[in-house]
Amino acid sequence: MIAFRGVAKTYRRILPPGRAVRAVDGITLDLTPGEVTGIAGPNGAGKSTLISLLLGFLRPTGGDVTIEGLAPRRWVERHGAAYLPELMNVPPHWTVQTALRRYAILGGMPASRISGAVDGAIQQLGLEEHRRKSAKTLSKGTLQRLGIAQALLQENARLCVLDEPTHGLDPVWTLRFRDIVAGMRRADRVILLASHGLDELERVCDRVAIIDRGQIQRVVDTSGLEARQASTSYRLALASGGEHVGAVFPNAQTTGAGEFLIEVESLATLNAGLALLLSRGAQLAAVAPARSALEQEFREAVGESEPA
């Protein structure tokens, strides 16, 4: 459905005069209906430019972007798109209900559908108690939920772009967002999700394109990540028996009360050590990789830069 072919975008700086900055450099990528594709990369990697090119806000200076054979702007004007920008900007005097009604109208929703669709979005995003509050009074997390709700109102959109959708959400709504994405999946819909949260991308996306210096460094298929042993570093939490950790895992580092960072050679070594701890009376509260498999892929692709 969506094809990037050797896409480049160069900006000209005002100061110093004439200096060129190549934000995107030769990107080739297909986005397939029915899939959720993620984008990750460090600050300045080119993610925002890529999204702007896809939605037709910008034109490439090299290569082509097409959606079903059309230029993005023409396709979006004809078919529409669900879009959550990184910074949700709602007129401050609009109430939650007013904002959603107006976004529904702008999206071309039939008048007979608007009230029911708005009520459904308000309920799904937990906005009932905020229905009549103005946007300027909303917390960052509540405003973000309003942004997600307006994207959901584009019920017939076959292109959905979510830029940092969990930014500002508390842990409860971050978890619920995974179910929201699952509900948005359709065989004829492309979903593109840009996020600095590698754990979220790994959980909700089918593929993740890792971008750095304006280029795709690798595209990771998340379906095989669980079977991959990505890290030999683990975080260990004990309810009791922490005094035995040093003897079982000599390189353990204490990171908090009853919490440790340990290094092991393999899963077999980890399990043997945990069995020994339990045999000595320790009570295990949690154990998890210090790095997710996708984080390991990210670090290999772009070095030790932090995602953004």
Side-chain angles (χ1 to χ4, degrees), residues 10-22:
T10 300
Y11 298 100
R12 292 283 177 182
R13 288 187 183 273
I14 299 175
L15 293 173
R19 181 180 175 186
V21 176
R22 204 164 179 84

Side-chain angles (χ1 to χ4, degrees), residues 155-177:
E155 298 172 326
N156 296 320
R158 292 188 288 127
L159 172 60
C160 180
V161 179
L162 306 176
D163 194 357
E164 299 293 351
T166 59
H167 184 62
L169 296 184
D170 62 31
V172 171
W173 277 103
T174 297
L175 290 172
R176 290 181 182 177
F177 176 74

Side-chain angles (χ1 to χ4, degrees), residues 201-202 205-208 220-228:
L201 291 177
E202 184 173 339
C205 296
D206 300 291
R207 296 180 299 147
V208 178
V220 180
D221 182 348
T222 62
S223 63
L225 287 179
E226 287 187 8
R228 209 172 301 171

